[in-house]
Amino acid sequence: MNLFRLAGDITHLLSIVVLFRKIRTTKSCAGISLKTQELYGLVFLTRYIDLVIKYHSLYNTLGKLIFIGTSLATVWHMRYHKVVKQTYNKDEDTFRHYYLILFCLGLALLIPRSFTVIEVLWAFSIYLEAVAILPQLVLLQRSRNIDNLTGNYVFLLGAYRALYLLNWIYRFFTELHRVLWIPWVSGLVQTALYADFFYYYIKSWKKHEELKLPA
């Protein structure tokens, strides 16, 4: 544990709080990509499958259960809640996310840390998380208006991953002294995907303007 990882975990948790606040208080999921939420659900289920075979710490276990539970709860609200599901932008959320799943699965089978089921699933989850935000970013580009809660949610998600990238760099110099190619490269790709969004988010915040992404 270090400051960067702790800050990353807190930022990630805050992004979930913001998302649930939007869904629960407004009874709306407008501007949220169901496909991205389904990808995150798959990410956490495959990454944290080791819960059934290994105990690390109470902090670690609670964190994993929270991320699995909240991601599945979000998908349930968007698919089955009688009010929330009616606000889902199905016609605009058209990114073919199953291509991302197939690509990342193939990559995990080719380049895992080791060729065991747990390690292949872990690599798959890391690769998939790197690109899971793509359906959400495409949806935001198609939306004319991005509400504050949705913008804050996406910003916090991006900040969480950037902090985790700093965590890996910090650990390289203080603990591991070896390059961890899978999380490093995946983290760089994921952070790069957010770069455009970060620019317009900060620009709109400084000018007190409505957040809009270029088409």
Side-chain angles (χ1 to χ4, degrees):
M1 179 61 68
N2 59 69
L3 184 60
F4 295 115
R5 180 181 173 182
L6 181 61
D9 288 343
I10 292 173
T11 305
H12 195 182
L13 187 59
L14 283 174
S15 72
I16 292 172
V17 170
V18 169
L19 178 59
F20 261 82
R21 182 188 172 195
K22 172 186 172 65
I23 293 175
R24 297 292 296 177
T25 60
T26 67
K27 294 293 187 295
S28 171
C29 63
I32 300 298
S33 169
L34 173 60
K35 295 183 176 182
T36 282
Q37 297 307 315
E38 289 175 338
L39 291 177
Y40 276 124
L42 187 55
V43 164
F44 297 133
L45 284 171
T46 52
R47 181 176 304 168
Y48 300 147
I49 196 171
D50 64 342
L51 274 172
V52 299
I53 60 174
K54 190 174 183 180
Y55 175 81
H56 294 279
S57 67
L58 181 61
Y59 175 87
N60 184 274
T61 300
L62 285 177
K64 291 178 178 181
L65 290 174
I66 288 172
F67 293 135
I68 291 173
T70 53
S71 62
L72 295 180
T74 301
V75 171
W76 181 89
H77 274 82
M78 295 183 71
R79 278 194 173 276
Y80 303 111
H81 191 283
K82 61 182 180 180
V83 177
V84 175
K85 71 178 183 179
Q86 296 178 18
T87 65
Y88 169 50
N89 307 98
K90 184 178 181 180
D91 293 336
E92 293 184 343
D93 192 20
T94 58
F95 193 99
R96 296 181 180 179
H97 62 326
Y98 46 84
Y99 286 143
L100 298 177
I101 296 173
L102 292 174
F103 174 77
C104 293
L105 180 59
L107 197 59
L109 291 170
L110 290 172
I111 315 174
R113 289 190 300 191
S114 62
F115 289 94
T116 65
V117 173
I118 295 295
E119 288 297 331
V120 169
L121 289 175
W122 178 84
F124 168 72
S125 75
I126 296 295
Y127 295 141
L128 187 59
E129 187 180 15
V131 294
I133 197 63
L134 279 173
Q136 180 65 66
L137 293 176
V138 170
L139 176 59
L140 292 182
Q141 286 184 322
R142 292 173 177 172
S143 302
R144 292 183 178 179
N145 299 314
I146 304 173
D147 63 81
N148 288 334
L149 289 176
T150 301
N152 291 339
Y153 162 68
V154 176
F155 177 79
L156 288 169
L157 266 184
Y160 134 71
R161 205 57 197 170
L163 287 166
Y164 251 68
L165 189 59
L166 293 175
N167 159 65
W168 286 113
I169 296 172
Y170 174 83
R171 291 185 64 187
F172 171 78
F173 288 107
T174 61
E175 302 172 23
L176 304 174
H177 301 295
R178 59 191 176 93
V179 177
L180 302 174
W181 290 110
I182 293 176
W184 280 34
V185 174
S186 299
L188 281 171
V189 169
Q190 188 172 359
T191 304
L193 289 177
Y194 281 95
D196 192 56
F197 176 84
F198 283 156
Y199 170 78
Y200 287 101
Y201 179 91
I202 295 171
K203 181 180 178 181
S204 67
W205 175 74
K206 289 176 68 175
K207 294 185 176 181
H208 304 285
E209 296 176 345
E210 191 176 67
L211 175 59
K212 291 183 180 179
L213 299 183

